[in-house]
Amino acid sequence: MGCIEVKNKSEEILIQEAEHVLNLKKQKSIQVDSVIRKFSLNGQVTSVQLNRISSHLKLQTKNLFPFIKIDEFYGKLRDINGNYDLKDLLVIGILLSDGESSTKAGLLYQIFDEELTGHMSLSKVKNQLLYKLVIHSCSSLPKLVSPRQASNVNLEKIEKYSDCLIEKKDTCINSVAERLAVNGNDVTEITFTEVFRTFRQGKLTSSVGWRAFLYEKYLCENSKILVSTPAITESK
């Protein structure tokens, strides 16, 4: 559906392999959301609470050879007090877990609609919700790729790929926001869920879907140079 017909991309395959090791893809999004919220307090998750979460969901939160970037990945999510922001863990958990796009979209919306009013301003959706989805999909998660993961790993290429995605962050966020703005500045949970269920076949409730979206935009805007560059498909 992009402007260039292309094959699979090696950097993307490596990222998906690294994401898979976290063991979230085997979990249902509703369960992931429920357990993370259960072991949190005042919007924060401590290291002890993260251990409880990982125990209940059987998550991989420590390095597991050859995936030696997991400790670093979680470390970068911690604040100066050593705690994790509940929103970050929920966004990552829902992006990587299993579930229908409409279910995942509703859960993502509710992370930022703290009082569950069913309404949020468009600016909050753009600057917080959509921003987090892009940053974690295209910047945080690619850092899971380990130099020992495979013989063809080139971390500079992974970083360059991530940079290409982030370059189109504002363009793609604005594109989604235009579809959400059917009622002006008020974005309801119903509207958000419907847009995320239908736009791009519901794939923007996953990190793979966001990377595909941003990379397709990058390719389209650089098509004269990148005619033969591979695109993204989800590895099995």
Short mmCIF file of all heavy atoms in Angstrom, two decimals, residues 155-201:
data_model
loop_
_atom_site.label_atom_id
_atom_site.label_comp_id
_atom_site.label_asym_id
_atom_site.label_seq_id
_atom_site.Cartn_x
_atom_site.Cartn_y
_atom_site.Cartn_z
N LEU A 155 24.83 -2.34 14.44
CA LEU A 155 24.09 -1.41 15.29
C LEU A 155 24.02 -0.02 14.69
O LEU A 155 23.06 0.72 14.94
CB LEU A 155 24.72 -1.35 16.68
CG LEU A 155 24.63 -2.64 17.52
CD1 LEU A 155 25.20 -2.40 18.91
CD2 LEU A 155 23.19 -3.13 17.60
N GLU A 156 24.99 0.36 13.88
CA GLU A 156 24.94 1.67 13.22
C GLU A 156 23.78 1.72 12.23
O GLU A 156 23.11 2.75 12.10
CB GLU A 156 26.26 1.96 12.51
CG GLU A 156 27.41 2.25 13.46
CD GLU A 156 28.69 2.65 12.72
OE1 GLU A 156 28.65 2.74 11.48
OE2 GLU A 156 29.70 2.88 13.40
N LYS A 157 23.53 0.60 11.55
CA LYS A 157 22.41 0.55 10.61
C LYS A 157 21.07 0.57 11.36
O LYS A 157 20.11 1.19 10.90
CB LYS A 157 22.51 -0.71 9.75
CG LYS A 157 23.64 -0.67 8.73
CD LYS A 157 23.69 -1.94 7.90
CE LYS A 157 22.49 -2.05 6.98
NZ LYS A 157 22.58 -3.25 6.11
N ILE A 158 21.02 -0.08 12.52
CA ILE A 158 19.81 -0.05 13.34
C ILE A 158 19.53 1.39 13.78
O ILE A 158 18.39 1.87 13.71
CB ILE A 158 19.95 -0.96 14.57
CG1 ILE A 158 20.13 -2.43 14.16
CG2 ILE A 158 18.73 -0.81 15.49
CD1 ILE A 158 18.94 -3.06 13.52
N GLU A 159 20.58 2.07 14.22
CA GLU A 159 20.43 3.46 14.68
C GLU A 159 20.00 4.37 13.52
O GLU A 159 19.14 5.24 13.69
CB GLU A 159 21.74 3.96 15.28
CG GLU A 159 21.65 5.36 15.86
CD GLU A 159 22.93 5.81 16.53
OE1 GLU A 159 23.87 4.99 16.61
OE2 GLU A 159 23.00 6.98 16.96
N LYS A 160 20.58 4.16 12.36
CA LYS A 160 20.23 4.97 11.19
C LYS A 160 18.77 4.72 10.80
O LYS A 160 18.04 5.65 10.45
CB LYS A 160 21.14 4.63 10.02
CG LYS A 160 20.88 5.47 8.77
CD LYS A 160 21.87 5.15 7.66
CE LYS A 160 21.58 5.99 6.42
NZ LYS A 160 22.53 5.69 5.32
N TYR A 161 18.35 3.46 10.85
CA TYR A 161 16.96 3.10 10.56
C TYR A 161 16.02 3.80 11.54
O TYR A 161 15.01 4.40 11.15
CB TYR A 161 16.82 1.58 10.65
CG TYR A 161 15.43 1.03 10.56
CD1 TYR A 161 14.58 1.40 9.52
CD2 TYR A 161 14.97 0.10 11.50
CE1 TYR A 161 13.30 0.85 9.43
CE2 TYR A 161 13.71 -0.45 11.40
CZ TYR A 161 12.88 -0.06 10.37
OH TYR A 161 11.62 -0.60 10.28
N SER A 162 16.36 3.76 12.83
CA SER A 162 15.56 4.43 13.86
C SER A 162 15.49 5.93 13.59
O SER A 162 14.42 6.55 13.71
CB SER A 162 16.15 4.16 15.24
OG SER A 162 15.43 4.84 16.25
N ASP A 163 16.61 6.52 13.21
CA ASP A 163 16.64 7.96 12.92
C ASP A 163 15.74 8.31 11.74
O ASP A 163 15.08 9.36 11.73
CB ASP A 163 18.07 8.41 12.62
CG ASP A 163 18.97 8.41 13.84
OD1 ASP A 163 18.44 8.38 14.97
OD2 ASP A 163 20.21 8.44 13.68
N CYS A 164 15.71 7.45 10.73
CA CYS A 164 14.84 7.67 9.56
C CYS A 164 13.37 7.69 9.99
O CYS A 164 12.58 8.49 9.49
CB CYS A 164 15.05 6.57 8.52
SG CYS A 164 16.63 6.65 7.65
N LEU A 165 13.02 6.80 10.91
CA LEU A 165 11.65 6.74 11.40
C LEU A 165 11.29 8.01 12.18
O LEU A 165 10.25 8.62 11.95
CB LEU A 165 11.46 5.51 12.29
CG LEU A 165 11.77 4.15 11.67
CD1 LEU A 165 11.57 3.05 12.71
CD2 LEU A 165 10.91 3.88 10.45
N ILE A 166 12.15 8.38 13.12
CA ILE A 166 11.89 9.55 13.96
C ILE A 166 11.82 10.83 13.13
O ILE A 166 11.09 11.77 13.47
CB ILE A 166 12.95 9.67 15.07
CG1 ILE A 166 12.84 8.47 16.03
CG2 ILE A 166 12.79 10.97 15.85
CD1 ILE A 166 11.49 8.34 16.71
N GLU A 167 12.54 10.84 12.03
CA GLU A 167 12.50 12.00 11.13
C GLU A 167 11.09 12.31 10.65
O GLU A 167 10.73 13.45 10.40
CB GLU A 167 13.41 11.74 9.93
CG GLU A 167 13.50 12.87 8.92
CD GLU A 167 14.38 12.51 7.75
OE1 GLU A 167 15.47 11.95 7.98
OE2 GLU A 167 13.98 12.77 6.60
N LYS A 168 10.24 11.27 10.55
CA LYS A 168 8.87 11.44 10.07
C LYS A 168 7.85 11.42 11.19
O LYS A 168 6.64 11.29 10.95
CB LYS A 168 8.54 10.35 9.04
CG LYS A 168 9.46 10.37 7.83
CD LYS A 168 9.46 11.75 7.17
CE LYS A 168 10.51 11.87 6.09
NZ LYS A 168 10.61 13.26 5.59
N LYS A 169 8.33 11.59 12.42
CA LYS A 169 7.44 11.54 13.59
C LYS A 169 6.31 12.56 13.50
O LYS A 169 5.12 12.19 13.60
CB LYS A 169 8.27 11.78 14.86
CG LYS A 169 7.46 12.02 16.14
CD LYS A 169 8.36 12.15 17.33
CE LYS A 169 9.32 13.32 17.24
NZ LYS A 169 8.61 14.64 17.27
N ASP A 170 6.63 13.81 13.31
CA ASP A 170 5.61 14.86 13.30
C ASP A 170 4.65 14.69 12.13
O ASP A 170 3.43 14.88 12.28
CB ASP A 170 6.26 16.24 13.26
CG ASP A 170 7.01 16.57 14.53
OD1 ASP A 170 6.72 15.95 15.57
OD2 ASP A 170 7.89 17.46 14.50
N THR A 171 5.19 14.33 10.97
CA THR A 171 4.35 14.13 9.79
C THR A 171 3.29 13.07 10.03
O THR A 171 2.11 13.25 9.72
CB THR A 171 5.20 13.73 8.58
OG1 THR A 171 6.14 14.77 8.31
CG2 THR A 171 4.34 13.49 7.35
N CYS A 172 3.70 11.94 10.60
CA CYS A 172 2.77 10.83 10.80
C CYS A 172 1.82 11.08 11.96
O CYS A 172 0.65 10.70 11.89
CB CYS A 172 3.56 9.54 11.00
SG CYS A 172 4.37 8.98 9.49
N ILE A 173 2.30 11.72 13.01
CA ILE A 173 1.40 12.08 14.12
C ILE A 173 0.31 13.02 13.62
O ILE A 173 -0.87 12.86 13.94
CB ILE A 173 2.19 12.71 15.28
CG1 ILE A 173 2.97 11.63 16.04
CG2 ILE A 173 1.26 13.45 16.24
CD1 ILE A 173 3.84 12.15 17.16
N ASN A 174 0.69 14.01 12.82
CA ASN A 174 -0.30 14.95 12.28
C ASN A 174 -1.28 14.26 11.35
O ASN A 174 -2.47 14.60 11.30
CB ASN A 174 0.41 16.09 11.55
CG ASN A 174 1.11 17.04 12.49
OD1 ASN A 174 0.72 17.18 13.65
ND2 ASN A 174 2.16 17.70 12.02
N SER A 175 -0.80 13.27 10.60
CA SER A 175 -1.67 12.53 9.70
C SER A 175 -2.75 11.77 10.47
O SER A 175 -3.93 11.78 10.09
CB SER A 175 -0.84 11.53 8.87
OG SER A 175 -1.66 10.75 8.04
N VAL A 176 -2.35 11.13 11.57
CA VAL A 176 -3.32 10.42 12.40
C VAL A 176 -4.25 11.42 13.09
O VAL A 176 -5.47 11.20 13.17
CB VAL A 176 -2.61 9.54 13.44
CG1 VAL A 176 -3.63 8.87 14.37
CG2 VAL A 176 -1.76 8.48 12.76
N ALA A 177 -3.68 12.52 13.57
CA ALA A 177 -4.47 13.53 14.28
C ALA A 177 -5.57 14.11 13.39
O ALA A 177 -6.68 14.41 13.87
CB ALA A 177 -3.57 14.65 14.79
N GLU A 178 -5.30 14.27 12.11
CA GLU A 178 -6.31 14.78 11.19
C GLU A 178 -7.53 13.87 11.15
O GLU A 178 -8.67 14.33 11.05
CB GLU A 178 -5.71 14.91 9.79
CG GLU A 178 -4.73 16.06 9.64
CD GLU A 178 -4.08 16.10 8.27
OE1 GLU A 178 -4.48 15.28 7.40
OE2 GLU A 178 -3.19 16.93 8.06
N ARG A 179 -7.30 12.58 11.22
CA ARG A 179 -8.40 11.62 11.21
C ARG A 179 -9.15 11.60 12.54
O ARG A 179 -10.33 11.24 12.58
CB ARG A 179 -7.86 10.23 10.88
CG ARG A 179 -7.40 10.10 9.43
CD ARG A 179 -6.56 8.84 9.20
NE ARG A 179 -6.32 8.66 7.77
CZ ARG A 179 -5.40 9.31 7.08
NH1 ARG A 179 -4.61 10.20 7.69
NH2 ARG A 179 -5.25 9.11 5.78
N LEU A 180 -8.47 11.96 13.60
CA LEU A 180 -9.10 11.97 14.92
C LEU A 180 -9.90 13.25 15.17
O LEU A 180 -10.72 13.29 16.09
CB LEU A 180 -8.03 11.83 16.01
CG LEU A 180 -7.27 10.50 16.05
CD1 LEU A 180 -6.11 10.60 17.03
CD2 LEU A 180 -8.20 9.36 16.44
N ALA A 181 -9.66 14.27 14.36
CA ALA A 181 -10.24 15.60 14.62
C ALA A 181 -11.62 15.77 14.01
O ALA A 181 -11.97 16.86 13.54
CB ALA A 181 -9.29 16.67 14.10
N VAL A 182 -12.42 14.73 14.00
CA VAL A 182 -13.76 14.82 13.40
C VAL A 182 -14.68 15.73 14.22
O VAL A 182 -15.65 16.28 13.70
CB VAL A 182 -14.40 13.42 13.25
CG1 VAL A 182 -13.66 12.60 12.23
CG2 VAL A 182 -14.46 12.69 14.60
N ASN A 183 -14.39 15.86 15.51
CA ASN A 183 -15.19 16.75 16.38
C ASN A 183 -14.35 17.92 16.87
O ASN A 183 -14.51 18.39 18.00
CB ASN A 183 -15.74 15.97 17.57
CG ASN A 183 -16.71 14.89 17.16
OD1 ASN A 183 -17.60 15.14 16.35
ND2 ASN A 183 -16.54 13.69 17.68
N GLY A 184 -13.44 18.38 16.03
CA GLY A 184 -12.59 19.50 16.41
C GLY A 184 -11.54 19.10 17.41
O GLY A 184 -10.83 18.11 17.22
N ASN A 185 -11.47 19.80 18.52
CA ASN A 185 -10.43 19.57 19.52
C ASN A 185 -10.78 18.47 20.49
O ASN A 185 -9.96 18.09 21.33
CB ASN A 185 -10.16 20.87 20.30
CG ASN A 185 -8.95 20.76 21.19
OD1 ASN A 185 -7.87 20.37 20.75
ND2 ASN A 185 -9.11 21.10 22.47
N ASP A 186 -11.98 17.91 20.39
CA ASP A 186 -12.42 16.87 21.32
C ASP A 186 -12.30 15.50 20.67
O ASP A 186 -12.96 15.22 19.67
CB ASP A 186 -13.88 17.13 21.74
CG ASP A 186 -14.38 16.08 22.72
OD1 ASP A 186 -13.63 15.73 23.65
OD2 ASP A 186 -15.52 15.61 22.55
N VAL A 187 -11.44 14.64 21.24
CA VAL A 187 -11.27 13.29 20.72
C VAL A 187 -11.88 12.32 21.71
O VAL A 187 -11.38 12.16 22.82
CB VAL A 187 -9.79 12.94 20.50
CG1 VAL A 187 -9.65 11.53 19.94
CG2 VAL A 187 -9.13 13.94 19.57
N THR A 188 -12.97 11.69 21.32
CA THR A 188 -13.62 10.73 22.21
C THR A 188 -12.95 9.36 22.09
O THR A 188 -12.27 9.07 21.10
CB THR A 188 -15.11 10.58 21.88
OG1 THR A 188 -15.24 9.98 20.58
CG2 THR A 188 -15.82 11.93 21.90
N GLU A 189 -13.17 8.53 23.09
CA GLU A 189 -12.64 7.17 23.04
C GLU A 189 -13.25 6.40 21.87
O GLU A 189 -12.57 5.59 21.22
CB GLU A 189 -12.91 6.44 24.36
CG GLU A 189 -12.32 5.03 24.39
CD GLU A 189 -12.49 4.35 25.73
OE1 GLU A 189 -12.80 5.03 26.73
OE2 GLU A 189 -12.30 3.11 25.79
N ILE A 190 -14.52 6.67 21.58
CA ILE A 190 -15.19 5.99 20.47
C ILE A 190 -14.52 6.35 19.15
O ILE A 190 -14.24 5.47 18.32
CB ILE A 190 -16.69 6.37 20.44
CG1 ILE A 190 -17.40 5.79 21.66
CG2 ILE A 190 -17.34 5.87 19.15
CD1 ILE A 190 -18.84 6.25 21.81
N THR A 191 -14.24 7.64 18.95
CA THR A 191 -13.58 8.08 17.72
C THR A 191 -12.18 7.50 17.62
O THR A 191 -11.78 6.99 16.57
CB THR A 191 -13.51 9.62 17.68
OG1 THR A 191 -14.83 10.16 17.62
CG2 THR A 191 -12.73 10.09 16.44
N PHE A 192 -11.44 7.57 18.70
CA PHE A 192 -10.08 7.05 18.71
C PHE A 192 -10.06 5.57 18.37
O PHE A 192 -9.26 5.12 17.53
CB PHE A 192 -9.44 7.29 20.08
CG PHE A 192 -8.00 6.87 20.16
CD1 PHE A 192 -6.98 7.76 19.84
CD2 PHE A 192 -7.64 5.58 20.57
CE1 PHE A 192 -5.65 7.37 19.91
CE2 PHE A 192 -6.32 5.19 20.64
CZ PHE A 192 -5.32 6.09 20.31
N THR A 193 -10.93 4.81 18.99
CA THR A 193 -10.98 3.37 18.77
C THR A 193 -11.34 3.05 17.32
O THR A 193 -10.75 2.15 16.70
CB THR A 193 -11.98 2.70 19.73
OG1 THR A 193 -11.58 2.97 21.08
CG2 THR A 193 -12.04 1.20 19.51
N GLU A 194 -12.30 3.77 16.78
CA GLU A 194 -12.73 3.52 15.41
C GLU A 194 -11.63 3.86 14.40
O GLU A 194 -11.39 3.10 13.45
CB GLU A 194 -14.00 4.33 15.08
CG GLU A 194 -14.55 4.12 13.68
CD GLU A 194 -14.97 2.69 13.39
OE1 GLU A 194 -15.12 1.88 14.34
OE2 GLU A 194 -15.16 2.37 12.21
N VAL A 195 -10.95 4.97 14.60
CA VAL A 195 -9.85 5.34 13.70
C VAL A 195 -8.73 4.31 13.78
O VAL A 195 -8.22 3.86 12.74
CB VAL A 195 -9.31 6.75 14.04
CG1 VAL A 195 -7.99 7.02 13.30
CG2 VAL A 195 -10.33 7.82 13.68
N PHE A 196 -8.37 3.88 14.97
CA PHE A 196 -7.29 2.92 15.12
C PHE A 196 -7.71 1.51 14.69
O PHE A 196 -6.85 0.68 14.37
CB PHE A 196 -6.77 2.92 16.56
CG PHE A 196 -5.64 3.89 16.78
CD1 PHE A 196 -5.86 5.25 16.69
CD2 PHE A 196 -4.36 3.45 17.03
CE1 PHE A 196 -4.83 6.16 16.86
CE2 PHE A 196 -3.32 4.34 17.20
CZ PHE A 196 -3.55 5.71 17.11
N ARG A 197 -8.98 1.25 14.63
CA ARG A 197 -9.46 -0.04 14.14
C ARG A 197 -9.41 -0.11 12.62
O ARG A 197 -9.14 -1.17 12.04
CB ARG A 197 -10.90 -0.29 14.61
CG ARG A 197 -11.46 -1.65 14.21
CD ARG A 197 -12.91 -1.79 14.59
NE ARG A 197 -13.76 -0.90 13.79
CZ ARG A 197 -14.19 -1.19 12.56
NH1 ARG A 197 -13.85 -2.34 11.98
NH2 ARG A 197 -14.98 -0.35 11.91
N THR A 198 -9.64 1.03 11.97
CA THR A 198 -9.78 1.03 10.51
C THR A 198 -8.56 1.56 9.75
O THR A 198 -8.22 1.04 8.69
CB THR A 198 -11.00 1.87 10.10
OG1 THR A 198 -10.87 3.20 10.64
CG2 THR A 198 -12.28 1.24 10.65
N PHE A 199 -7.91 2.60 10.27
CA PHE A 199 -6.79 3.20 9.56
C PHE A 199 -5.60 2.23 9.51
O PHE A 199 -5.22 1.66 10.52
CB PHE A 199 -6.38 4.51 10.25
CG PHE A 199 -5.24 5.23 9.56
CD1 PHE A 199 -5.28 5.51 8.21
CD2 PHE A 199 -4.13 5.65 10.29
CE1 PHE A 199 -4.25 6.18 7.58
CE2 PHE A 199 -3.10 6.32 9.67
CZ PHE A 199 -3.16 6.57 8.31
N ARG A 200 -5.08 1.99 8.33
CA ARG A 200 -3.98 1.05 8.11
C ARG A 200 -4.30 -0.33 8.67
O ARG A 200 -3.46 -0.99 9.27
CB ARG A 200 -2.67 1.60 8.67
CG ARG A 200 -2.20 2.88 7.98
CD ARG A 200 -0.85 3.33 8.45
NE ARG A 200 0.20 2.39 8.07
CZ ARG A 200 0.83 2.39 6.89
NH1 ARG A 200 0.52 3.29 5.96
NH2 ARG A 200 1.77 1.49 6.64
N GLN A 201 -5.54 -0.74 8.48
CA GLN A 201 -6.02 -2.06 8.89
C GLN A 201 -5.81 -2.35 10.38
O GLN A 201 -5.61 -3.50 10.79
CB GLN A 201 -5.36 -3.17 8.06
CG GLN A 201 -5.68 -3.13 6.57
CD GLN A 201 -4.82 -2.12 5.83
OE1 GLN A 201 -3.61 -2.07 6.00
NE2 GLN A 201 -5.44 -1.33 5.00
#
